[in-house]
Amino acid sequence: MLVHEEEPFNAEPPTGALAGRFLTPLDAFYSRNHGPVPRIDAAAWRLEVDGLVERRLRLSLEELRSRFPEREVVATLQCAGNRRAELIEVRDIPGEDPWRSGAVSTARWTGVSLADVLAGAGLRPGAAHVSFTAPDVAREADPPQPYGGSIPAAKAVAGEVLLAWAMNGHPLPAVHGAPLRVVVPGWIGARSVKWLERVTARADPSGNYFQAVAYRMSPPGADPSRSGPGTGIPLGPVALTCDILSPEDGSRVPPGPTEITGYAFAGGGHGVARVDVSSDAGRTWSQAELDAPAHPWAWRLWRAVVVLSEGEADVLARAWDTAGATHPETPAALWNPKGYGNTSWGRLHLTCRR
C-alpha cells in the first residue's frame, strides 16, 4: 500500500493489485479517514435512529441482525480525491493528499437495508434527508468535530443503501468501519460513513463540516480557506470515469501485442456501455472487451490488446455510459481547488524496448 498519512490513516494500493480482480481483497482496499480509527466495544455499541421518525430506535448489532432481513450488495466505493495527483500536476493543491489511481475498490457488502431500518422507525412528513454520525474526531474540520454527512431521503429508502457489518464474507476490519458502516452505492465514498453511531431523519442536509463545507465542488478561482457552509456544489453521485490499471504507468514492455486492462464506473443510476482504447495518443481508437454488467452498483472491468512499436507509447482509455455521454479528456479541464472529481480519460505512458 502507498501510505499518504499514518494518522489519520490514508492509503491506496498500486493499480496492479486491483487489475483483473472484480472484488478487491481486504488488504488492498483503499483506506480514507479523517481522524484516528476509534476503538469501539462491539458488545456495548448501539445504533441510534432519531429525528423526524415516529419511533426512536436504539439497536445492538444482534438486534439489527434479528429484526431486519440480511441483504448483500456488490458496490464500488471511490474516494472523491481519486487521481488527485494528476490535478496537482496541472496546478498545485496545497494541503491535500496526492492520491494516485488506487482510491477505488469493490466489495460484496453484507448487512441490512437502511430502508428497512427507516421503515421500522417510521419516517415522518418533512423528512427529506438522512444524516449519519460517527465518533472519529477530525482535527481538519473547523471546529474539530466527529465525522458525518447525509444523503437525500429518496436515496436512503431506495433499498440499495446498506448498514453493513461485513465485506467479502469477512467481518468489517476496524479500519473499514467495524462494527457497522454505511455503504451508499453509486455515491462518493465520503457518504459511506464508517463506525456509524447515529442515523437521523431531518428536513435539511447535515450541518456537519464534511457535508456543509468539505466535499463540495468549487470553481477554479475560489479560495478554499474562505469557503463556508453551502459554498460550491455538494458532491454525491459519482460521475462516469474510466482508468487503466495494468500495466502501471511508466512501465517498460517489449514491442508487439500488449494487454491493457482497467475499469469503468458510473454512478447516479447510469451504467457503462462502452470503453475505447487508443495506443497512439488518441489518433485512432479501438473498442475494448467489457465484462458483463453483473452488478448495477459496481465497476466493469475491461481489456484490450494493442500492438506497440519500439519507442514511447501513450495509451488512452475513455468510457461511454448508457445515456450516450462520455467524460472529459484532460485533468486541466477539471482542476478545482480541492482536487475532487478527476474523471478524465485514463492515461498510460509506456516505454517499448526489447
Side-chain angles (χ1 to χ4, degrees), residues 79-348:
C79 177
N82 190 42
R83 298 173 63 192
R84 181 182 283 133
E86 298 171 35
L87 297 177
I88 291 174
E89 290 180 5
V90 174
R91 178 179 164 192
D92 192 25
I93 304 174
E96 299 293 336
D97 289 335
W99 293 95
R100 299 183 186 176
S101 297
V104 56
S105 304
T106 300
R108 184 182 303 275
W109 307 93
T110 305
V112 297
S113 171
L114 174 61
D116 289 344
V117 174
L118 292 173
L123 285 180
R124 290 167 51 193
H129 300 267
V130 175
S131 68
F132 311 115
T133 305
D136 53 319
V137 175
R139 299 189 192 95
E140 69 184 270
D142 184 16
Q145 59 193 267
Y147 188 85
S150 64
I151 59 176
K155 177 67 173 179
V157 302
E160 68 271 6
V161 180
L162 283 197
L163 305 182
W165 55 69
M167 56 191 298
N168 293 348
H170 299 277
L172 280 178
V175 75
H176 291 303
L180 194 77
R181 70 172 297 167
V182 187
V183 176
V184 184
W187 284 49
I188 62 167
R191 305 305 177 218
S192 292
V193 175
K194 303 178 186 178
W195 311 294
L196 184 65
E197 288 190 334
R198 186 178 299 274
V199 174
T200 303
R202 49 193 298 141
D204 302 307
S206 170
N208 187 276
Y209 176 86
F210 294 99
Q211 182 76 41
V213 178
Y215 292 110
R216 303 180 75 93
M217 183 71 73
S218 297
D223 180 355
S225 67
R226 297 180 180 274
S227 296
T231 300
I233 303 167
L235 297 177
V238 175
L240 174 67
T241 189
C242 175
D243 202 9
I244 299 169
L245 296 176
S246 177
E248 293 196 21
D249 187 41
S251 297
R252 178 169 174 162
V253 299
T258 299
E259 184 177 60
I260 309 297
T261 69
Y263 74 89
F265 181 45
H270 293 296
V272 174
R274 194 179 89 211
V275 171
D276 301 330
V277 176
S278 171
S279 59
D280 55 11
R283 288 187 291 275
T284 61
W285 297 85
S286 60
Q287 196 167 330
E289 177 188 349
L290 265 175
D291 283 357
H295 298 276
W297 302 107
W299 59 14
R300 291 183 69 181
L301 302 183
W302 56 263
R303 66 204 54 81
V305 175
V306 298
V307 178
L308 302 176
S309 302
E310 186 102 8
E312 306 296 310
D314 290 306
V315 181
L316 305 176
R318 66 185 181 193
W320 300 79
D321 69 16
T322 50
T326 187
H327 48 121
E329 177 180 350
T330 67
L334 292 164
W335 191 93
N336 60 91
K338 297 293 285 184
Y340 296 140
N342 180 14
T343 58
S344 60
W345 294 355
R347 293 175 178 272
L348 172 68

Side-chain angles (χ1 to χ4, degrees), residues 59-81:
L59 303 165
S60 67
L61 197 58
E62 182 55 38
E63 287 170 324
L64 274 173
R65 289 174 176 267
S66 62
R67 287 185 56 175
F68 305 99
E70 182 174 293
R71 301 183 185 274
E72 283 191 344
V73 172
V74 176
T76 298
L77 296 187
Q78 179 177 280
C79 177

